[in-house]
């Protein structure tokens, strides 16, 4: 299981940090994808499902040289904003360190809109998407919190301003994992 979880924010450098850490000889990444999406989209699969996305202990031991300790990690841009992910992460990975990457909220929102548009999840202009956001995501965070099996397309793909409102997200993370396990990085641009 991961020693470190990078929780986002989306479009704040999670992929860049993932790639950089993946190159380090003492760091093990998930075996297939950057973000396993366990604590947000796949939690109902259960904790037995999650470790299957990381290298086997035997592989890790073979890769370790001279008794060096290897660090395992994953990275997801949705964990930070999903209302249940911080509590789930705290419960299931009680020793893991959590890294929250932040970026200028306006630049992040624009980048997120471009990202969702390129992926086919957004058809509106940035201005129109911002105007529509409140209606699109109205009640979605509450539904996600109330029903652990609920998934929200709108909240995942159209919460541009919501994802840029870092204070409540950081507070929720701090409340769940504690300040000693949370490292917040404010990245330029």
């Amino acid at each position: 299981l991961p020693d470190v979880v990078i929780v986002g924010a989306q479009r704040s450098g999670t992929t860049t940090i993932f790639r950089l850490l993946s190159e380090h000889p003492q760091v093990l990444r998930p075996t297939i994808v950057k973000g396993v999406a366990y604590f947000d989209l796949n939690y109902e699969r259960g904790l037995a499902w999650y470790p299957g996305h990381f290298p086997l202990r035997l592989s890790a031991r073979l890769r370790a040289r001279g008794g060096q300790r290897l660090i395992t990690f994953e990275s997801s841009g949705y964990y930070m904003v999903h209302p249940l992910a911080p509590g789930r992460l705290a419960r299931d990975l009680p020793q893991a360190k959590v890294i929250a990457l932040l970026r200028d909220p306006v630049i992040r929102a624009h980048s997120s809109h471009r990202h969702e548009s390129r992926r086919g999840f957004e058809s509106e202009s940035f201005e129109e998407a911002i105007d529509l956001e409140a209606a699109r995501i109205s009640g979605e965070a509450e539904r996600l919190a109330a029903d652990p099996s609920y998934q929200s397309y709108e909240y995942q793909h159209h919460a541009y301003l919501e994802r840029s409102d870092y204070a409540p997200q950081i507070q929720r993370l701090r409340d769940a994992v504690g300040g000693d396990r949370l490292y917040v990085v404010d990245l330029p641009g």
Side-chain angles (χ1 to χ4, degrees):
L1 292 174
D3 302 290
V4 175
V5 179
I6 301 167
V7 296
Q10 180 195 41
R11 309 305 298 163
S12 292
T14 57
T15 300
T16 299
I17 297 298
F18 177 83
R19 288 178 182 151
L20 290 171
L21 288 174
S22 294
E23 293 176 14
H24 194 283
Q26 288 180 260
V27 177
L28 297 171
R29 55 168 271 175
T31 54
I32 299 173
V33 294
K34 172 186 110 175
V36 177
Y38 172 63
F39 297 106
D40 48 22
L41 303 176
N42 291 298
Y43 198 72
E44 74 284 352
R45 294 176 182 247
L47 188 55
W49 176 85
Y50 188 48
H53 297 275
F54 298 95
L56 298 172
R57 283 190 186 115
L58 176 60
S59 299
R61 275 192 226 115
L62 291 173
R63 185 169 160 191
R65 297 184 185 115
Q68 40 180 216
R69 184 180 185 302
L70 298 178
I71 304 292
T72 305
F73 82 104
E74 77 145 311
S75 178
S76 171
Y78 193 40
Y79 287 168
M80 193 162 96
V81 73
H82 191 286
L84 297 177
R88 292 168 172 175
L89 194 155
R91 234 180 354 267
D92 292 349
L93 300 177
Q95 304 303 318
K97 302 292 183 191
V98 178
I99 301 172
L101 302 176
L102 309 181
R103 180 181 186 189
D104 177 288
V106 175
I107 294 171
R108 194 222 63 79
H110 276 279
S111 178
S112 180
H113 178 267
R114 280 190 308 277
H115 180 69
E116 297 298 338
S117 296
R118 279 192 307 268
R119 294 172 60 207
F121 296 121
E122 180 62 77
S123 58
E124 305 294 340
S125 70
F126 180 73
E127 294 76 14
E128 186 64 24
I130 295 304
D131 288 345
L132 291 170
E133 180 172 339
R136 284 173 155 180
I137 69 167
S138 178
E140 291 300 286
E142 294 78 11
R143 283 193 265 305
L144 285 164
D147 179 356
S149 66
Y150 182 70
Q151 293 189 20
S152 173
Y153 177 88
E154 296 292 348
Y155 201 70
Q156 186 178 356
H157 298 290
H158 298 143
Y160 308 111
L161 300 179
E162 179 82 5
R163 284 180 179 238
S164 289
D165 187 8
Y166 301 135
Q169 296 173 58
I170 296 298
Q171 188 62 54
R172 190 169 46 243
L173 281 165
R174 185 178 301 280
D175 290 347
V177 303
D180 60 325
R181 292 177 44 208
L182 176 62
Y183 185 64
V184 179
V185 180
D186 188 6
L187 299 168

